Amino acid sequence: MTIQFIIVMNRQGRTRLAKWYDLYSNKEKSLITGQVHKLISTRDTKHQSNFVEFQGNKLVYRRYAGLFFIVSIAIHDSELAYLELLHFMVEILDLYFENVCELDLVFNFYKVYAILDELYLAGEIQETSRDKVLQRLAYLDKLD
Amino acid sequence: MPAQMKGLSQFIADIRNAKAYDEERKRIAVELDNIRRKFQDTKLLGYQKKKYVAKLLYIHILGYTTVHDFWLGASMDLARSATFSEKQMGYLSFSLFLESSNALETILPVLEDLWGDNVDFTTLALQYVATGVADGSAVLEAVYGFLRSPTTVPLVRRNASAALLRIFRDNPELLLANCRSWVPRLVAVLDDADLGVSTSAVSLVSFIVEELPELCENLLPLATRKLSKVVLDPSYVKDEYLYYDIPAPWLSVKLLGLIERYIQYLHFVEGEIDLPSLATLREVVHQTINRSSSPLAGLQSKNAQSAVLFACISLLGYLDPSPEALASATDALLLLLDSPETNTRYLTLDALIKLTSRGGKVAQENTSKQLSVILHLLEDKDISVRRKALDLIYTLTSAATVETVVEHLTKYFHTADYTLRPELAVKIAVLCENFATDAVWYVTTMLRLISVAGTHVSREIWERIIQILVNNLSLQLLAARMVVKYLRDKALSETMTKVGAFVLGEFGHLILDQADEDANLIEGMTAKRCTARVQFDLLYHKYFYCAPNTRAIILSAFLKMYKRHEDLRPLVLDFYELELNSIDIEIQTRAMEYLRVVTLNDDTKHLDLIVGEMPVFVNKVNPLMAGVGTIAQLNAPVSHLRGFGRNRSSSSVLMSHGNGSTGLVFQGAGGLVLQSSEASTIRRPSFAARNGSSASSPGPEPKKPVLSPNWQEGYFRSLHFDQGILYENTLLRITYRITKKNHVLGFQLTYKNKTTHADITGLTATLRSGTSTTQPAYVIELVTAPSSDIAQSEKTDHRFNVVLRSTGLSNVEQPTLLLSFMCGAFTSLKVKLPVLLLRALTAAPLAYSNFLTRWAQVGAMGASGEAVLQFKTSLAYPTISLRRILARMGFAIIDETEYQQPEDVSQELILGTGILHTLQGNFGVLMFLEARAEGREFTLRIRCTAPDVALILAETIVSLLEFGA
């Protein structure tokens, strides 16, 4: 499994989105979320890398405004590729929600899950064409 | 952006406005109650169900994970709704509420949607299967069907690939038991024209490679070709897949990773990378490294470019790189070392570590050019960079640089982070031990390390030093002298005291007559000697400042001194008496026991026994290696492969036989060479073992491939005809031409697309050798590879040479040709190639009289030189055609006028001679065929000057005649 989970949380540690690709119990999920916040929020954004080892895997993260976008990947996977994948995801969210903000993710949480399913499935990268993803999302919105 | 559900938005807003936890909880309780009531209404609209399920999901996400059972009915209704957004909500609720694949009832809508004709619904169902909640085995066939069918739209294929991966991952036994035959077809999806499908397929294939690598024969050519198109062909990747001008970076990185993993497997089974793939991969790596020298503007482009670069460099180590390639790779990386981006520095160091540990000397030396820059990175602002820098320094240190490096690291100790210090101490110790060529330097440095590192030095380190001192006579005197110096320091660390106590106890007697220089300096006295008393006092003065475990060591040291020096005995006795009152039970006991031993009235017989000379240490594993940290794994070729592959063996630190004795011994210039390391004898676990899925056992022994139907005809033809049709089906015709040149068989295979309506694409042709890998009887050398695409009615050539190395080639070791291609659908073929000893036979005419002489001569060799086989055939062979067949095989047939045919007219004799060419040498072959019953019954006698060859040749001839020539 390449991606174990993707978490979007604000600086206070409030989870805005969590997608788990590995099997975790609810208890483990909340435990991990707490540990991840503690680990990431204390890191120096200026002088430290965007990668940190975590429970035998690696966290790759990036902060956008008040939100941390965090992905956990296997130890041998490419950090930079997933760092850019986070950026790619944020771009998609930004274009889809037209200037995405934290509240968009809150009020449209079910939409965000649908968007993630276009990008990643089974913890693996699926589609990497921005145009294709956006076209697909626009098409799905019309289906209602 | 679609319209939102008002009730849901209001609910979320309410929750957000809640000022306290209690208020939030109350609001949720009210809502749950409300929803429960609503769900009892049978006339609830789909929209309302969707809204209420969404609210339940939100509550669940907030962390209120108490299981409510009343959602399932509504979710089921939603999942079976004909409205997309409702169905979507239904599936989402399954995937979020249900935690594992025990959700049997959810399979119903999945099945409906998979078999239904609404593509959007199918996609949703596949995405749901990919979450792993549904029962995968129930939908396996359907999911695979989407991937197999060439008419499936890319979107569905992509989702099907992910769903299939999920099913296999959750149920590996499904893949292993039933779906083995699918593997080549699934691998071929890598080359899908849609890059999204291709990206998804890489993940699927990566999983398959872990489980069934032996079935992925078409992987390397396919993946390599795809990679080279993406990376090298500027027109191949459409704009929509450019990420900040970098063509499909994720696909590239994933393909590189897959290829690397597969090559590891090839190495594991001692297979070879086929030459065209190797050349292409080298080209991709070369070009990528070249491009990296012109940095891009913009963080995104830079990162994407570097991601591909790092993946390429990681692969390079497996491509048997030239020194130039390694040098340019390290140069490219070294350029990135002073990047202002912490990420880049960190990853560059990481890449350099991999490269230097795999790339051997060249990479090491080239990287060492920048040693000062790397040493400087020990001061980086980010501790993870500092740690990586330390790891890199550790990997690239060699005998040439060890002194500089250790010097620097020892100085660095004071400023290093506390968390880094223990690791630093271990690394210094291991480096010293690995590369020390000078005993004096080793002892000096190690003692200095102990004095500097003090309490950060783990027990393993100082114990290791002691082991080495005990095993090396030449170091003992020096060590004793040096510890005396250190012991004079008042602020000495306890670790040093421990070492000091041990060393003086064991080797103190060696320096008794040595001048105590420091004593002179300090006390201004004349040439004072390092007497036993001086040594005793040194330890005695430390004693009361030490913790009990150090005291215990000193007590033992005193016991040893007691034995050697009579003048110390009263002192030691007094001291033991004193320590009988120690508050530490261990010390008290020890003092008691020692006292009893020395006061036994037995002429120190017991004492001698207890404090006899230390025996040499013979432990096989260096305890320090455990402390080296993550870097130790890196010494294996791939860090993420637990135990898989070869560990760096020669440089590991262990014991050696020195002058017949076992132990850690200095050996001339070889440094501290130590005995055969554990690392080099590590048994390689099976490839799949790392996933714990022992169900498959892809051992190195080549599997007997199942050949394509009707392969025999072409194969047996090729045993005696030098050209013809090797194989043919409705799509493809394979013709062959074989030229013999001594021991080299030149093969030219031509693949012709027989169709007039479809192009062949993605053709891969793999030659799988069937001979032993260690002592191959033949070697295949590729001359030209076929092109991957064959237009209608066009053809492509595939040329290679087979070099026969020895006569040890049995009749079951032929190579297999594996072909796979797309032509409408995926097709794969397997046929045997006629690489047999008989194929290396050329005619060597001989007169009948000479034949008889030679026959008798070879007959003298005994059984190994002769084979006699009797057989019958269903087909009747007239003498004339037998002669032709045998002549085509390479026999010179002796003119029948030269000898007399048997009197019985139903019998015919055919005599032939030939020479068998191998690299090992040429051998004479004599053939004596007696045909009876109108050419249906035979006795074949073969004699050959090489042992054990006659039978092999005879069997080949018989098999051909039996099949029908």
Side-chain angles (χ1 to χ4, degrees):
Chain A
M1 171 117 27
T2 311
I3 304 176
Q4 289 81 42
F5 55 80
I6 295 175
I7 296 180
V8 180
M9 57 169 62
N10 65 16
R11 290 162 73 183
Q12 290 73 43
R14 196 91 189 176
T15 306
R16 289 309 177 205
L17 169 72
K19 179 81 184 172
W20 306 86
Y21 292 102
D22 228 343
L23 278 183
Y24 297 98
S25 68
N26 285 327
K27 206 173 151 197
E28 285 171 318
K29 285 177 189 171
S30 74
L31 206 67
I32 288 175
T33 316
Q35 289 168 341
V36 166
H37 176 249
K38 212 169 133 193
L39 187 61
I40 302 288
S41 61
T42 52
R43 279 175 66 88
D44 179 347
T45 42
K46 216 169 168 189
H47 295 305
Q48 290 197 293
S49 65
N50 296 57
F51 329 118
V52 59
E53 287 188 20
F54 177 73
Q55 298 186 345
N57 293 314
K58 273 186 304 210
L59 299 181
V60 173
Y61 67 96
R62 196 180 249 173
R63 213 181 91 185
Y64 291 88
L67 286 180
F68 285 111
F69 286 75
I70 304 151
V71 57
S72 165
I73 56 172
I75 206 81
H76 58 270
D77 272 311
S78 163
E79 294 92 342
L80 284 181
Y82 285 89
L83 187 63
E84 287 315 307
L85 199 68
L86 288 178
H87 188 74
F88 178 71
M89 173 175 134
V90 171
E91 278 186 343
I92 300 267
L93 292 174
D94 199 45
L95 288 164
Y96 180 76
F97 288 109
E98 291 155 14
N99 247 328
V100 69
C101 68
E102 193 173 338
L103 285 186
D104 288 325
L105 304 186
V106 175
F107 282 95
N108 298 287
F109 69 94
Y110 56 97
K111 272 283 156 204
V112 180
Y113 280 109
I115 295 172
L116 282 191
D117 278 352
E118 295 301 320
L119 300 178
Y120 325 109
L121 283 176
E124 303 288 345
I125 308 175
Q126 299 297 312
E127 188 54 82
T128 61
S129 161
R130 193 173 63 190
D131 299 350
K132 276 195 181 178
V133 173
L134 289 172
Q135 279 162 20
R136 174 79 187 153
L137 293 174
Y139 166 78
L140 293 181
D141 280 342
K142 286 200 200 100
L143 281 183
D144 268 332
Chain B
M1 261 278 318
Q4 297 173 349
M5 290 173 275
K6 270 199 191 127
L8 174 67
S9 299
Q10 187 53 52
F11 173 64
I12 294 176
D14 284 355
I15 299 270
R16 288 180 55 82
N17 291 334
K19 288 191 183 62
Y21 177 63
D22 259 1
E23 197 181 327
E24 177 180 301
R25 227 178 39 185
K26 248 181 236 160
R27 177 72 184 86
I28 286 170
V30 170
E31 193 63 42
L32 283 176
D33 210 39
N34 175 37
I35 297 172
R36 196 192 305 265
R37 256 185 297 111
K38 294 282 184 191
F39 278 171
Q40 281 157 6
D41 177 2
T42 46
K43 278 175 278 177
L44 207 61
L45 293 174
Y47 173 81
Q48 287 168 306
K49 285 182 187 160
K50 180 173 86 169
K51 185 176 70 184
Y52 292 127
V53 168
K55 285 183 182 179
L56 286 176
L57 284 177
Y58 188 75
I59 295 170
H60 180 86
I61 292 168
L62 280 181
Y64 295 85
T65 46
T66 324
V67 182
H68 300 288
D69 47 1
F70 55 86
W71 60 271
L72 188 61
S75 291
M76 275 303 258
D77 292 345
L78 287 175
R80 303 180 78 167
S81 159
T83 307
F84 181 82
S85 65
E86 290 171 14
K87 191 178 270 296
Q88 195 175 31
M89 188 64 77
Y91 279 128
L92 179 63
S93 64
F94 289 157
S95 70
L96 287 180
F97 282 142
L98 299 169
E99 283 197 7
S100 60
S101 43
N102 53 14
L104 284 178
E105 54 272 69
T106 66
I107 205 66
L108 231 65
V110 175
L111 285 174
E112 285 169 8
D113 288 336
L114 286 183
W115 295 115
D117 49 8
N118 185 322
V119 174
D120 299 314
F121 291 179
T122 306
T123 314
L124 274 185
L126 286 171
Q127 289 177 342
Y128 173 61
V129 173
T131 62
V133 179
D135 174 18
S137 58
V139 293
L140 178 66
E141 292 281 345
V143 173
Y144 174 62
F146 291 121
L147 267 179
R148 191 183 50 187
S149 161
T151 53
T152 315
V153 295
L155 181 72
V156 173
R157 288 161 68 74
R158 173 164 72 68
N159 286 320
S161 164
L164 195 60
L165 168 61
R166 189 59 190 229
I167 296 171
F168 286 155
R169 203 185 266 155
D170 291 345
N171 318 276
E173 71 283 357
L174 288 179
L175 171 65
L176 299 176
N178 308 314
C179 312
R180 302 172 72 98
S181 60
W182 296 0
V183 170
R185 213 179 277 264
L186 293 175
V187 171
V189 183
L190 285 178
D191 198 24
D192 201 284
D194 185 280
L195 294 193
V197 178
S198 191
T199 308
S200 182
V202 181
S203 302
L204 174 62
V205 174
S206 297
F207 178 78
I208 295 174
V209 162
E210 298 300 327
E211 302 292 323
L212 295 168
E214 72 275 21
L215 297 183
C216 299
E217 273 144 347
N218 53 342
L219 186 148
L220 202 52
L222 272 173
T224 302
R225 219 177 283 141
K226 188 78 176 176
L227 177 70
S228 98
K229 279 189 279 192
V230 171
V231 177
L232 299 180
D233 182 353
S235 61
Y236 182 73
V237 176
K238 305 274 182 306
D239 282 356
E240 57 189 5
Y241 279 99
L242 294 182
Y243 179 76
Y244 292 87
D245 298 333
I246 306 292
W250 294 287
L251 179 57
S252 311
V253 168
K254 293 192 70 147
L255 277 171
L256 283 161
L258 172 64
I259 291 168
E260 182 177 319
R261 184 67 184 152
Y262 186 72
I263 293 178
Q264 284 164 12
Y265 160 74
L266 282 183
H267 286 181
F268 180 64
V269 296
E270 289 163 4
E272 300 268 332
I273 309 175
D274 64 290
L275 289 175
S277 295
L278 185 61
T280 311
L281 288 174
R282 283 179 175 159
E283 179 64 14
V284 168
V285 172
H286 177 70
Q287 291 289 345
T288 309
I289 290 174
N290 271 358
R291 280 180 207 166
S292 73
S293 59
S294 49
L296 299 168
L299 185 62
Q300 269 66 42
S301 326
K302 256 190 233 167
N303 280 347
Q305 189 186 41
S306 299
V308 180
L309 173 70
F310 289 137
C312 275
I313 287 177
S314 176
L315 177 65
L316 179 66
Y318 295 99
L319 301 180
D320 194 10
S322 64
E324 294 78 30
L326 280 173
S328 68
T330 44
D331 286 345
L333 288 175
L334 290 170
L335 274 181
L336 295 172
L337 263 190
D338 52 359
S339 157
E341 281 281 311
T342 308
N343 291 341
T344 312
R345 291 197 305 277
Y346 174 84
L347 294 173
T348 305
L349 286 169
D350 191 61
L352 279 169
I353 291 169
K354 285 184 194 156
L355 195 60
T356 46
S357 54
R358 283 175 216 158
K361 234 176 153 191
V362 179
Q364 238 180 36
E365 282 171 4
N366 205 45
T367 313
S368 297
K369 288 191 304 195
Q370 296 291 326
L371 188 60
S372 58
V373 178
I374 300 163
L375 287 173
H376 188 66
L377 283 172
L378 287 172
E379 321 286 335
D380 200 275
K381 282 182 177 138
D382 184 6
I383 181 167
S384 50
V385 171
R386 296 197 287 271
R387 180 166 272 136
K388 281 275 177 224
L390 178 61
D391 284 349
L392 175 59
I393 291 163
Y394 175 79
T395 28
L396 60 79
T397 302
S398 63
T401 50
V402 68
E403 298 200 9
T404 327
V405 167
V406 168
E407 173 74 24
H408 190 100
L409 291 183
T410 315
K411 273 191 195 146
Y412 171 64
F413 208 94
H414 292 295
T415 50
D417 305 75
Y418 276 94
T419 53
L420 210 58
R421 289 186 185 186
E423 200 181 322
L424 186 57
V426 173
K427 283 188 173 141
I428 295 174
V430 174
L431 285 177
C432 287
E433 198 177 316
N434 276 348
F435 298 113
T437 48
D438 176 1
V440 178
W441 179 81
Y442 175 77
V443 177
T444 327
T445 314
M446 289 312 290
L447 290 178
R448 191 163 143 235
L449 172 68
I450 290 178
S451 86
V452 168
T455 49
H456 297 287
V457 173
S458 63
R459 211 188 70 214
E460 287 77 17
I461 297 181
W462 68 261
E463 286 180 355
R464 182 69 178 170
I465 296 167
I466 284 171
Q467 289 178 5
I468 290 172
L469 290 177
V470 168
N471 290 10
N472 290 274
L473 282 174
S474 60
L475 301 181
Q476 295 165 356
L477 182 134
L478 177 72
R481 285 182 56 182
M482 294 201 49
V483 296
V484 168
K485 278 192 191 177
Y486 278 112
L487 285 172
R488 294 203 174 281
D489 184 351
K490 293 243 167 7
L492 190 64
S493 78
E494 275 205 45
T495 317
M496 187 55 120
T497 312
K498 286 179 192 163
V499 176
F502 181 88
V503 168
L504 289 186
E506 282 294 318
F507 318 123
H509 61 280
L510 298 172
I511 54 167
L512 290 176
D513 51 352
Q514 302 265 326
D516 186 348
E517 294 157 24
D518 293 326
N520 280 343
L521 288 173
I522 296 163
E523 294 157 33
M525 289 165 68
T526 49
K528 194 175 167 184
R529 307 233 165 241
C530 233
T531 58
R533 177 60 196 261
V534 170
Q535 295 179 25
F536 178 86
D537 284 347
L538 276 174
L539 292 178
Y540 182 82
H541 288 307
K542 296 282 171 217
Y543 185 85
F544 294 101
Y545 300 100
C546 291
N549 56 357
T550 312
R551 293 184 183 194
I553 297 177
I554 297 180
L555 282 180
S556 304
F558 286 168
L559 188 65
K560 295 171 196 164
M561 291 182 176
Y562 178 93
K563 184 194 152 201
R564 285 193 199 276
H565 313 293
E566 279 195 32
D567 52 322
L568 286 183
R569 286 182 182 176
L571 284 171
V572 175
L573 283 177
D574 283 354
F575 189 72
Y576 285 161
E577 296 270 3
L578 181 73
E579 283 305 279
L580 285 180
N581 303 318
S582 169
I583 51 164
D584 188 277
I585 183 93
E586 161 68 25
I587 297 295
Q588 205 183 61
T589 317
R590 199 175 277 227
M592 180 68 184
E593 285 167 357
Y594 288 175
L595 200 57
R596 288 304 299 273
V597 169
V598 297
T599 50
L600 273 176
N601 198 4
D602 66 347
D603 285 340
T604 70
K605 210 172 86 193
H606 274 84
L607 182 62
D608 290 346
L609 210 63
I610 293 167
V611 295
E613 203 170 312
M614 284 295 275
V616 288
F617 288 90
V618 291
N619 46 336
K620 293 236 164 63
V621 181
N622 184 347
L624 292 188
M625 291 316 279
V628 171
T630 50
I631 196 76
Q633 297 155 16
L634 263 173
N635 289 344
V638 215
S639 57
H640 61 271
L641 299 176
R642 279 169 251 137
F644 164 77
R646 293 153 293 183
N647 276 21
R648 196 169 70 163
S649 55
S650 61
S651 57
S652 335
V653 184
L654 295 182
M655 321 258 220
S656 98
H657 293 283
N659 308 327
S661 71
T662 317
L664 305 97
V665 185
F666 271 100
Q667 287 192 330
L672 258 188
V673 197
L674 305 161
Q675 201 169 24
S676 69
S677 72
E678 198 81 337
S680 62
T681 55
I682 277 178
R683 275 191 323 121
R684 294 184 298 186
S686 104
F687 192 74
R690 91 177 179 105
N691 287 346
S693 55
S694 48
S696 69
S697 56
E701 68 282 348
K703 285 226 158 51
K704 275 238 167 125
V706 181
L707 299 168
S708 298
N710 307 323
W711 60 273
Q712 298 96 333
E713 203 157 317
Y715 170 74
F716 281 108
R717 177 184 173 87
S718 67
L719 287 185
H720 57 118
F721 284 102
D722 283 341
Q723 53 182 309
I725 294 173
L726 185 63
Y727 187 81
E728 184 163 25
N729 64 16
T730 50
L731 303 172
L732 186 83
R733 176 188 296 142
I734 309 174
T735 50
Y736 72 93
R737 175 191 292 268
I738 302 171
T739 43
K740 290 182 199 172
K741 196 175 175 196
N742 295 328
H743 57 275
V744 180
L745 296 177
F747 278 82
Q748 175 182 333
L749 302 182
T750 305
Y751 308 128
K752 182 177 196 291
N753 182 348
K754 280 171 66 184
T755 64
T756 49
H757 58 278
D759 291 348
I760 285 179
T761 55
L763 177 102
T764 63
T766 316
L767 293 163
R768 168 58 80 90
S769 173
T771 182
S772 106
T773 44
T774 44
Q775 291 273 310
Y778 61 85
V779 193
I780 303 174
E781 294 168 347
L782 189 79
V783 181
T784 42
S787 59
S788 62
D789 303 331
I790 314 172
Q792 307 151 21
S793 312
E794 290 297 313
K795 54 193 174 187
T796 179
D797 283 346
H798 182 193
R799 287 172 216 248
F800 50 92
N801 291 329
V802 177
V803 181
L804 278 164
R805 297 180 66 239
S806 71
T807 55
L809 173 63
S810 71
N811 284 333
V812 292
E813 293 178 44
Q814 302 97 324
T816 326
L817 169 71
L818 307 141
L819 271 185
S820 69
F821 56 87
M822 294 292 296
C823 185
F826 177 83
T827 308
S828 66
L829 298 174
K830 287 186 184 184
V831 292
K832 270 205 279 192
L833 293 175
V835 176
L836 295 171
L837 275 188
L838 186 68
R839 261 282 159 215
L841 192 74
T842 54
L846 209 62
Y848 177 63
S849 54
N850 292 339
F851 179 89
L852 289 181
T853 327
R854 297 300 302 276
W855 185 262
Q857 281 170 355
V858 182
M861 274 175 67
S864 72
E866 183 181 36
V868 182
L869 293 178
Q870 296 205 351
F871 59 100
K872 291 180 188 175
T873 58
S874 49
L875 206 75
Y877 291 94
T879 317
I880 184 103
S881 61
L882 273 177
R883 283 167 181 272
R884 279 194 198 135
I885 293 166
L886 291 165
R888 283 197 298 263
M889 286 178 182
F891 286 106
I893 306 298
I894 294 174
D895 197 294
E896 58 184 325
T897 56
E898 285 190 42
Y899 56 93
Q900 229 179 351
Q901 287 291 351
E903 289 178 7
D904 185 346
V905 283
S906 69
Q907 289 188 13
E908 285 278 350
L909 277 188
I910 303 175
L911 309 181
T913 52
I915 290 182
L916 191 62
H917 298 269
T918 72
L919 193 59
Q920 193 185 21
N922 298 339
F923 305 95
V925 179
L926 304 170
M927 185 266 309
F928 186 110
L929 181 70
E930 188 186 321
R932 297 179 301 274
E934 294 162 337
R936 289 175 197 272
E937 288 179 34
F938 303 88
T939 304
L940 173 66
R941 291 163 209 271
I942 299 278
R943 288 187 178 180
C944 177
T945 55
D948 303 321
V949 170
L951 186 63
I952 298 174
L953 294 177
E955 280 176 345
T956 313
I957 298 170
V958 172
S959 73
L960 175 62
L961 291 177
E962 280 177 347
F963 178 81

